[in-house]
Amino acid sequence: MMRLLCAMLLVGFLLPSTLRAEPKLKQFFIRNCVDCHGPERQKGKVRLDKPVDALLADYELLETIVALIEAGEMPPEEAPQPTTEAVAEVVQLLQKQILTQRPVNPLKRLTRAEYTNTMRDLFGVDFDFTGLLPPDHVERGFDKFGETQLMSPHYLMAYLKTARFIAQRVLPDVKPRTRTWEFDVRHFHGSKNFATGGGGDYRDGDDYVLTGFRPYRSNLHFSIDPDSHDQFVIPAFGVYRLEVKAHSEKSNEGEIIGINLGDGRHPTSFRMIRRIPMKHGSKGFTTELTLKAGDMLAFTFDSARVPGRSLEKKPHKGPAMRFSRMKVTGPLTEQWPTAAMQAILPKPNMKPRELVDHIALLLTQRPLLAEDRKAFVEIARTQEKSGASMTATARSVLIALLTSPHFIYKSESPELTDVERAHRLSYFLWNSAPDADLLEAARSGVLGEDPSAQVERMLKDVRAARFIDDFTRQWLQLDKVDDFGPDVRVFKNVRRMTVDSMEREGRELFRHLLESNLSMEHFIDSDFVMVNDRLARFYGLSAVDGDAFVPVKLPSESERGGLVAQAGFLKLTSTDFATSPIQRGSWILKNLYNERIEPPADVLINEPDIRGTTTVREAILKHQQLESCSRCHAKIDPLGFALEYYDPVGRKRSEYRHVDELPAELEETTFTKKLRITTMPIEATMTLPNGREVRDLPSLKAALMADKERILKGIIGKLISYAHGREVTGADRPHIDAVFASIAQEDFSLRAAIHAIVAHPAFGRK
Amino acid sequence: MKRRTFLKGAGVALLLPRMESLGQVSETDSPRRLLTIVNHLSFYQPELIPKADGAFEKTPPLLGELSDHLDHLKVFSGMDNPAVQNGFGHTPCVGILSGYFNKLHRRNRLSIDQAVADLIGDDTRFKSLVFQAGENLNFSQISWDKHGLPVKQIDSPRRIFNLLFQVDENEKAQQQVLAEDRSILDAVLAQARSMEKRLNATDRAKMDEYLTSVREVEQTVKRRAYWADRTRPHVNYEIEDFDRKSVDEYVGTLLDLAVLALETDSTRAVTVQIPFWEGFKEPDLSGNYHDLSHHGQKPEKIEKLLMLEHAILRRINASLSTMKERTVGNSSLFDQTTTLITASMGSANSHNFDDLPALVIDGRMKTTGHWRKKEAPMSNLYLGLLQLFGAEHDRFGESTGAFEVLS
């Protein structure tokens, strides 16, 4: 109530100042804008001749106006320009208005990753909800945005099913029996046994051998009965230990085995669940996996695989992986009753109300209000009356609470309570619920006063890896690196694990900067890159040993270093055969500058096909000539074109290779379709709106470095928007500016930036 | 009696009058149905599509297999699937019934069979049934719901039969789960309502989505509980364990089950996809179906391929004839059913995803014959079909208009 009063007073206080601002703004608009955005013409469908208070109420419009005027993009060059003072004054007036409007931050539900991690931390079970919970939809920004999160009957049904799945597994009625299965070559099957396959894998003495020959097919799976091809099926949910004896041959580096679930006889139904890097000379591995009833295990030889289909008709000469033995033990139970059972049912007899309160508090660290509690207590009571066991009753309550808004939505008051602040922080840095230590710090008020000790502790915790994964995957769109091609007919020798390593590079750079307290400037350019064995080879750097990423200093002539020189970025902005300067340019604006760039909704975009034309530039430059496109494309195109010396998989090139897929000739089939490759010179030089010329990767990085403040603020904005679960707006400027000012003292350290974001008062507001 | 108490106890008396009539078609009724048959590997078009446009004069050999139904049949040819831009191998086939597919986007992925099922599927045990002959691989998913999610394609004839006609062994457990689901939904609904009061306007809008979802799921659960409480229809049909290899055995069985599902009013929308990948062949053929489809224009391979395609169409013809013999309500099953036969590719030999053929069979058809629809999107046909089922849509997938299907 007090808060409401304050807010009203604030509005009352601000009103007169808005009134005072009105004539000035009106005058400015009439003088500078209304010619094109008024009764006669409505360029961009914008009218600024409306009453000023109506304009001021349109929050998004306001943001756009400020951004454009401030950047000098409006009024356009050819129009008479207002004085610098007039611009500054208007921007200040508008900015003030923006700051009065707190951005909306609608109710957020747990993302799939948050849900999974929360269950992991609460119950100590490594659930995988793929196939149960729908993946979260990200159109722009992050899946944590309440505004774009979907809720539908389908989602609700998924939550209900997932809750039942969890409850049945964390609260079993009987202790599962641990069993052991041993497999040797007699039980091994590969694609050779598959009716239509065959070729790349074979039995050899006491071993079964996988090669990279037929990449889609080659896999190893197991049957219990040597004579049957019926695959070994995991009988019950739980943790299983796999002990595998295997080694590689004809290889002089570490190789990688993929563990897949699914029917090995039909490898297209595979789902990769883990990659096991095997050091050179390794004799096997032991790993533990959480599996569910019905899962079927299969191994693939991932480091030998080439993306796309293999066209090799010759016998395979590359590396091979020999499997001799596998032992499976599970489900393993370390203690009985399990930790989860003890957490959910700490006492043998709990009254319905006590039980509900206990589980509700366990799940969210927030008590369930009395008025919300009734229906859940009713469930427990009904169960109790029907003579159900305590475990069964707890299961029902757990299912209900896991499906309820109490659990799946994050509660946030306008000014976060201490516990809510702990939640925001832990879903930021651990992508999971807070632990007891953090909650204690929150409740004692320490967190609100000085969060640095907690932030430091959390960043050192292994759970911080989840933040690094989740944030970089979405910020840098690393999950899209492998969306297209590359076509193996053109990009020979680009192996599966090379592409996989490309996907990891951006994440590893972020991790390294964070862990080593390094400057965020390295995102723009740096004298080192993060690489593993395969990526080092791909970049032509000195050899690195093993699958783990390490920093490697670049030779002085190298153009690499920084996000825009990473193969992953260069690849994800390309299609099968061709690069896309527009994709690359807009990626830079969106993800480094944190600019909102959206294709105009009412324009059908036909991106010029730069493969088919000899006038690559001309086709794209057309954008810049059309008035409706030029505002954005004048910024986008030069950034993208500067990268044209890098091909669709991120390798340096000196000319375009334009690929035509020739239609199959009469006597041929799709598999023999031919490609025609023609070459064209590259011309990449263009001028940025600020007059600076960019012509290649080094000059692009120099231009970005010159824009360092804007870019670092852009990245800070990304972090803030991830933490708050909403888009950053003009109202976040003080927050961003404060963080920037504070890290400017500390060599722009990424770690310091995270500290500063959390320490700022804005972190405690909804 | 038991059902009445059950429903009353659950406090859904309002639902009763409508549901009372479910499960059997009344003697005066003649509900509309859709049978969709997709042949993933397409047909050898020179032998399927008449040379000339308009009324059938000379029927090509493959089309001749459907000779019993030519007076209710339209052939469309040459259609495009503008959605297929990037894809590899068979992957683009997943969009055949959607007329739109972009692997990066989920919106707009709804397939025509599900769009129709949304219109006609409320009163039956299953809103729709999708059968997959052959192993369901990731590129054989063709049926997508309105959320863009894959609809389960069942590949085992035995499982389909059990689903339709056998008592579920887990029924008791299922009913318990459904009862528990309902009390859980009650509880979360109550909590959401109470929580909503404490929220501001934007948050309340979010919570409204949750509340609406709970209510819709409640309806689904009620529907399941309703059907779980009713015995399944009895049919005189023996399903034998058979060798999956032949058209007659496998495609024939699936089509039989499709007809039975429609006849017993278990559903009003059935989709069948013909097998294509694993060793599907006739006993006296060497080479499997997929392999033969890459015939490379070799006459001896085409000849074998045609044997399979003839066998498939012959089976479809037989099923259509069966539907003419079976009466449900006040008309024959054939009269009630619109049948769509289509293919995921123009030619499986070259993996051409345009030049698509489609056959529509409907007892109400006024003119029959061949319409060459060069470069018209497949979605135009789908929109035409959708409108037949009473939809008010003016767009489907990438449609640019709607074909007149019946006139």
Side-chain angles (χ1 to χ4, degrees):
Chain A
M1 194 58 206
M2 209 39 217
R3 211 164 274 147
L4 191 68
L5 259 174
C6 288
M8 283 165 66
L9 282 173
L10 200 66
V11 172
F13 171 75
L14 278 170
L15 223 52
S17 76
T18 318
L19 286 176
R20 274 203 304 281
E22 265 188 38
K24 276 189 183 143
L25 287 171
K26 199 176 174 77
Q27 207 181 19
F28 183 89
F29 289 149
I30 290 173
R31 200 168 288 162
N32 298 293
C33 315
V34 172
D35 266 1
C36 299
H37 303 287
E40 321 241 305
R41 287 186 290 173
Q42 296 89 40
K43 287 200 173 177
K45 294 193 182 148
V46 173
R47 284 184 75 152
L48 298 179
D49 59 329
K50 290 185 258 181
V52 170
D53 54 346
L55 291 176
L56 291 181
D58 187 343
Y59 188 71
E60 293 216 358
L61 179 67
L62 224 53
E63 291 237 323
T64 317
I65 296 175
V66 174
L68 291 180
I69 296 180
E70 207 178 13
E73 288 176 32
M74 285 287 155
E77 258 180 300
E78 60 276 12
Q81 296 295 311
T83 63
T84 324
E85 297 76 50
V87 168
E89 190 182 23
V90 163
V91 166
Q92 204 196 353
L93 283 172
L94 292 173
Q95 194 65 45
K96 216 168 173 180
Q97 180 63 25
I98 287 173
L99 287 180
T100 63
Q101 300 182 4
R102 181 176 285 181
V104 286
N105 191 357
L107 195 61
K108 296 178 284 270
R109 59 165 177 74
L110 297 180
T111 65
R112 182 161 83 181
E114 290 172 340
Y115 190 111
T116 309
N117 294 333
T118 304
M119 286 299 110
R120 171 85 186 78
D121 294 345
L122 282 179
F123 298 138
V125 182
D126 215 348
F127 285 112
D128 173 2
F129 297 122
T130 317
L132 273 170
L133 286 178
D136 294 298
H137 189 69
V138 195
E139 288 222 325
R140 63 159 193 247
F142 299 97
D143 59 6
K144 292 182 174 242
F145 289 5
E147 200 181 341
T148 51
Q149 284 171 345
L150 303 172
M151 179 50 74
S152 69
H154 166 72
Y155 268 89
L156 191 85
M157 200 60 145
Y159 275 120
L160 181 56
K161 276 190 189 162
T162 309
R164 175 162 284 118
F165 179 84
I166 294 167
Q168 282 166 351
R169 275 142 200 94
V170 296
L171 291 171
D173 288 313
V174 288
K175 182 179 174 178
R177 193 164 65 91
T178 305
R179 295 172 60 187
T180 299
W181 296 267
E182 295 199 54
F183 303 90
D184 59 39
V185 74
R186 293 170 300 144
H187 313 91
F188 289 177
H189 302 276
S191 51
K192 206 149 174 61
N193 299 329
F194 179 49
T196 64
D201 52 274
Y202 48 91
R203 180 177 172 166
D204 183 23
D206 286 343
D207 294 338
Y208 200 90
V209 185
L210 292 187
T211 71
F213 184 54
R214 285 181 63 107
Y216 274 151
R217 294 286 134 69
S218 215
N219 77 84
L220 175 70
H221 47 281
F222 319 92
S223 68
I224 291 183
D225 175 1
D227 297 325
S228 129
H229 197 165
D230 288 343
Q231 216 177 319
F232 167 60
V233 179
I234 295 295
F237 181 86
V239 177
Y240 288 78
R241 186 183 309 119
L242 270 54
E243 292 159 85
V244 178
K245 211 172 151 237
H247 68 276
S248 63
E249 61 180 17
K250 288 188 252 171
S251 154
N252 45 20
E253 60 181 350
E255 298 287 356
I256 290 162
I257 291 174
I259 305 182
N260 283 270
L261 297 185
D263 190 338
R265 295 166 300 177
H266 299 285
T268 49
S269 52
F270 272 176
R271 186 166 60 78
M272 202 264 297
I273 46 169
R274 183 150 317 165
R275 287 219 163 99
I276 308 281
M278 301 248 297
K279 283 215 168 81
H280 183 56
S282 160
K283 296 285 171 224
F285 63 88
T286 299
T287 188
E288 287 187 2
L289 294 171
T290 302
L291 302 169
K292 57 182 188 299
D295 282 346
M296 293 184 274
L297 287 169
F299 294 153
T300 46
F301 183 15
D302 284 10
S303 48
R305 290 173 66 210
V306 177
R309 62 173 178 256
S310 163
L311 295 170
E312 298 283 319
K313 289 265 159 66
K314 302 175 288 240
H316 178 74
K317 282 198 268 340
M321 185 65 74
R322 304 187 79 94
F323 291 85
S324 332
R325 225 179 283 284
M326 177 175 80
K327 185 170 152 191
V328 179
T329 315
L332 306 168
T333 27
E334 275 174 23
Q335 52 174 32
W336 191 263
T338 62
M341 291 162 80
Q342 283 171 345
I344 300 166
L345 278 172
K347 298 190 286 184
N349 282 306
M350 292 173 84
K351 290 268 154 272
R353 233 175 83 172
E354 190 187 8
L355 182 69
V356 169
D357 283 348
H358 170 72
I359 298 179
L361 195 62
L362 176 73
L363 291 180
T364 63
Q365 301 80 44
R366 281 178 285 122
L368 196 59
L369 294 186
E371 54 191 295
D372 290 17
R373 182 208 288 145
K374 237 174 63 192
F376 299 105
V377 175
E378 198 48 47
I379 290 176
R381 242 180 227 137
T382 314
Q383 283 281 44
E384 196 183 41
K385 266 188 220 143
S386 74
S389 70
M390 200 62 214
T391 310
T393 307
R395 261 198 312 258
S396 297
V397 172
L398 182 60
I399 298 170
L401 282 166
L402 282 175
T403 315
S404 73
H406 178 71
F407 176 70
I408 60 182
Y409 288 101
K410 295 181 199 160
S411 154
E412 287 187 343
S413 316
E415 294 290 330
L416 301 190
T417 65
D418 288 329
V419 173
E420 285 167 358
R421 186 193 283 263
H423 274 82
R424 175 172 282 180
L425 182 56
S426 70
Y427 280 105
F428 178 28
L429 296 184
W430 286 347
N431 218 20
S432 180
D435 65 358
D437 210 7
L438 178 58
L439 282 168
E440 177 47 39
R443 291 198 175 107
S444 67
V446 175
L447 189 65
E449 282 161 28
D450 178 11
S452 61
Q454 284 298 324
V455 170
E456 204 46 39
R457 178 182 75 91
M458 292 175 77
L459 287 176
K460 284 193 179 115
D461 192 284
V462 287
R463 281 170 280 191
R466 300 166 178 171
F467 155 61
I468 300 172
D469 278 339
D470 197 57
F471 176 74
T472 56
R473 174 179 59 82
Q474 298 184 64
W475 171 39
L476 304 173
Q477 297 165 334
L478 298 177
D479 50 349
K480 295 198 167 63
V481 170
D482 201 17
D483 265 2
F484 279 111
D487 196 297
V488 281
R489 293 169 294 183
V490 182
F491 302 101
K492 298 193 174 88
N493 306 326
V494 178
R495 291 182 175 253
R496 164 67 50 213
M497 290 314 298
T498 317
V499 175
D500 188 83
S501 301
M502 290 176 190
E503 280 177 36
R504 289 153 66 195
E505 188 188 354
R507 177 209 187 274
E508 292 296 322
L509 177 62
F510 188 93
R511 177 186 62 80
H512 183 66
L513 299 189
L514 186 59
E515 285 178 0
S516 310
N517 214 356
L518 292 176
S519 168
M520 289 167 75
E521 289 166 293
H522 293 286
F523 287 131
I524 304 174
D525 195 6
S526 70
D527 55 358
F528 71 89
V529 283
M530 295 298 294
V531 285
N532 63 0
D533 48 3
R534 289 176 172 81
L535 208 54
R537 195 169 52 212
F538 182 77
Y539 285 156
L541 300 171
S542 49
V544 164
D545 191 26
D547 185 55
F549 278 71
V550 291
V552 168
K553 189 136 176 46
L554 288 166
S556 55
E557 73 279 5
S558 174
E559 292 186 356
R560 301 279 171 188
L563 289 170
V564 294
Q566 292 188 355
F569 152 70
L570 294 164
K571 181 173 183 310
L572 79 91
T573 48
S574 305
T575 60
D576 305 36
F577 298 130
T579 55
S580 165
I582 295 179
Q583 292 283 353
R584 287 178 174 178
S586 57
W587 190 96
I588 292 173
L589 287 173
K590 276 194 262 188
N591 300 315
L592 298 185
Y593 286 87
N594 202 11
E595 277 200 26
R596 265 198 200 203
I597 299 230
E598 275 172 89
D602 51 344
V603 179
L604 186 66
I605 298 198
N606 284 319
E607 190 174 318
D609 184 354
I610 69 155
R611 314 179 223 164
T613 170
T614 47
T615 55
V616 184
R617 282 166 67 88
E618 281 164 36
I620 291 191
L621 287 175
K622 279 209 175 98
H623 279 111
Q624 298 191 20
Q625 286 151 15
L626 286 172
E627 206 175 344
S628 61
C629 308
S630 67
R631 192 166 72 68
C632 295
H633 279 278
K635 295 190 278 184
I636 296 172
D637 300 350
L639 299 174
F641 262 99
L643 293 164
E644 284 291 81
Y645 288 106
Y646 284 84
D647 76 5
V649 291
R651 294 178 307 195
K652 187 92 193 258
R653 64 179 173 190
S654 52
E655 58 190 5
Y656 286 117
R657 279 153 56 87
H658 161 56
V659 181
D660 272 321
E661 198 173 35
L662 301 177
E665 283 170 35
L666 262 189
E667 68 278 12
E668 292 174 325
T669 76
T670 174
F671 295 128
T672 53
K673 269 188 196 166
K674 293 204 174 67
L675 299 177
R676 184 175 57 205
I677 294 176
T678 42
T679 60
M680 278 179 285
I682 296 172
E683 202 189 324
T685 309
M686 264 191 208
T687 309
L688 287 163
N690 64 13
R692 196 181 172 113
E693 190 185 89
V694 282
R695 57 189 176 280
D696 51 15
L697 179 52
S699 60
L700 171 69
K701 285 200 282 189
L704 296 179
M705 205 47 114
D707 252 353
K708 183 173 81 184
E709 180 169 346
R710 280 180 67 201
I711 291 180
L712 296 194
K713 282 181 176 175
I715 299 173
I716 292 166
K718 285 282 178 191
L719 285 162
I720 291 177
S721 102
Y722 179 85
H724 289 231
R726 60 165 172 79
E727 204 91 59
V728 290
T729 72
D732 292 302
R733 236 188 213 197
H735 194 182
I736 294 175
D737 289 348
V739 173
F740 183 81
S742 122
I743 62 170
Q745 321 290 321
E746 299 183 56
D747 188 31
F748 303 107
S749 147
L750 174 58
R751 201 178 187 91
I754 288 168
H755 273 284
I757 287 170
V758 179
H760 195 274
F763 190 80
R765 286 180 218 129
K766 178 161 176 165
Chain B
M1 184 56 211
K2 188 179 157 225
R3 173 163 43 95
R4 184 172 287 269
T5 356
F6 169 71
L7 284 171
K8 235 185 178 166
V12 285
L14 264 180
L15 217 62
L16 207 53
R18 210 170 97 79
M19 275 199 165
E20 191 68 18
S21 63
L22 302 188
Q24 60 195 41
V25 178
S26 93
E27 280 174 21
T28 54
D29 208 8
S30 197
R32 291 306 307 168
R33 304 169 189 281
L34 175 70
L35 172 61
T36 309
I37 301 170
V38 176
N39 193 10
H40 183 103
L41 290 179
S42 193
F43 296 98
Y44 185 67
Q45 293 207 50
E47 304 252 312
L48 177 74
I49 308 296
K51 292 244 170 350
D53 273 18
F56 299 125
E57 285 168 12
K58 259 176 37 196
T59 43
L62 280 173
L63 190 60
E65 292 291 355
L66 299 173
S67 57
D68 297 341
H69 312 289
L70 287 182
D71 47 349
H72 301 296
L73 189 154
K74 267 194 176 81
V75 176
F76 298 96
S77 70
M79 291 174 291
D80 273 2
N81 192 348
V84 178
Q85 299 145 347
N86 273 294
F88 190 73
H90 292 243
T91 322
C93 296
V94 297
I96 183 58
L97 292 180
S98 311
Y100 176 96
F101 188 79
N102 180 335
K103 67 175 172 176
L104 306 180
H105 292 291
R106 232 175 63 183
R107 60 168 185 257
N108 230 355
R109 215 191 263 174
L110 173 67
S111 56
I112 181 64
D113 58 329
Q114 293 305 308
V116 171
D118 282 340
L119 296 169
I120 61 172
D122 279 347
D123 297 344
T124 50
R125 185 181 290 264
F126 304 102
K127 191 165 92 175
S128 75
L129 284 171
V130 188
F131 302 163
Q132 168 66 49
E135 205 68 34
N136 200 8
L137 306 174
N138 59 4
F139 47 83
S140 64
Q141 183 68 44
I142 50 169
S143 197
W144 303 91
D145 72 10
K146 60 176 176 233
H147 305 293
L149 296 159
V151 174
K152 174 102 181 139
Q153 302 186 176
I154 320 167
D155 62 7
S156 148
R158 168 68 58 193
R159 282 204 41 225
I160 297 168
F161 183 84
N162 289 350
L163 202 59
L164 285 167
F165 308 118
Q166 292 291 99
V167 176
D168 191 350
E169 285 162 24
N170 292 325
E171 195 136 300
K172 193 125 188 94
Q174 263 309 308
Q175 294 206 17
Q176 266 176 13
V177 168
L178 287 169
E180 192 185 50
D181 278 353
R182 296 175 71 161
S183 63
I184 286 169
L185 291 169
D186 282 347
V188 299
L189 192 67
Q191 200 242 316
R193 280 206 189 106
S194 140
M195 189 169 155
E196 190 177 29
K197 286 184 225 141
R198 304 190 292 269
L199 301 175
N200 69 23
T202 31
D203 287 1
R204 214 175 299 135
K206 280 275 155 192
M207 193 51 76
D208 269 344
E209 288 176 20
Y210 181 92
L211 285 164
T212 314
S213 305
V214 176
R215 288 194 199 97
E216 241 190 83
V217 171
E218 268 186 331
Q219 291 305 316
T220 314
V221 170
K222 270 177 199 166
R223 177 170 153 155
R224 281 198 199 152
Y226 173 85
W227 286 107
D229 211 38
R230 291 178 66 95
T231 45
R232 286 171 164 75
H234 177 76
V235 287
N236 281 321
Y237 187 84
E238 287 281 318
I239 191 156
E240 282 166 40
D241 289 322
F242 55 79
D243 177 11
R244 282 186 164 197
K245 299 256 156 98
S246 89
V247 173
D248 266 359
E249 285 183 347
Y250 201 174
V251 180
T253 306
L254 287 186
L255 288 172
D256 283 351
L257 290 169
V259 172
L260 283 171
L262 295 173
E263 187 187 351
T264 53
D265 208 34
S266 301
T267 185
R268 289 177 188 170
V270 181
T271 304
V272 181
Q273 184 163 222
I274 308 291
F276 56 96
W277 191 251
E278 49 175 15
F280 171 64
K281 58 181 185 183
E282 290 295 279
D284 48 350
L285 266 186
S286 58
N288 72 30
Y289 191 16
H290 173 249
D291 185 38
L292 290 171
S293 78
H294 289 289
H295 50 68
Q297 306 296 346
K298 292 195 183 84
E300 65 277 15
K301 270 190 141 179
I302 294 177
E303 192 189 326
K304 289 176 181 169
L305 176 70
L306 282 171
M307 280 174 69
L308 287 168
E309 292 182 4
H310 275 281
I312 291 167
L313 287 166
R314 208 176 300 134
R315 276 304 322 201
I316 295 174
N317 186 63
S319 293
L320 290 168
S321 299
T322 311
M323 283 159 67
K324 279 184 176 159
E325 291 157 16
R326 308 274 165 92
T327 306
V328 183
N330 71 351
S331 58
S332 82
L333 202 52
F334 182 87
D335 288 336
Q336 294 169 11
T337 307
T338 305
T339 303
L340 166 70
I341 305 170
T342 179
S344 306
M345 299 188 240
S347 157
N349 178 45
S350 57
H351 282 198
N352 171 11
F353 297 103
D354 288 326
D355 191 24
L356 298 166
L359 279 54
V360 179
I361 300 137
D362 191 302
R364 300 167 295 173
M365 206 166 274
K366 292 197 189 79
T367 46
T368 64
H370 169 220
W371 276 260
R372 191 177 302 275
K373 296 282 188 183
K374 198 83 191 106
E375 280 157 28
M378 190 77 172
S379 303
N380 289 10
L381 170 62
Y382 295 156
L383 183 59
L385 285 171
L386 198 57
Q387 289 172 350
L388 280 192
F389 286 89
E392 284 162 14
H393 303 57
D394 52 10
R395 257 198 93 116
F396 185 82
E398 299 272 314
S399 69
T400 56
F403 289 176
E404 290 278 346
V405 180
L406 292 188
S407 64

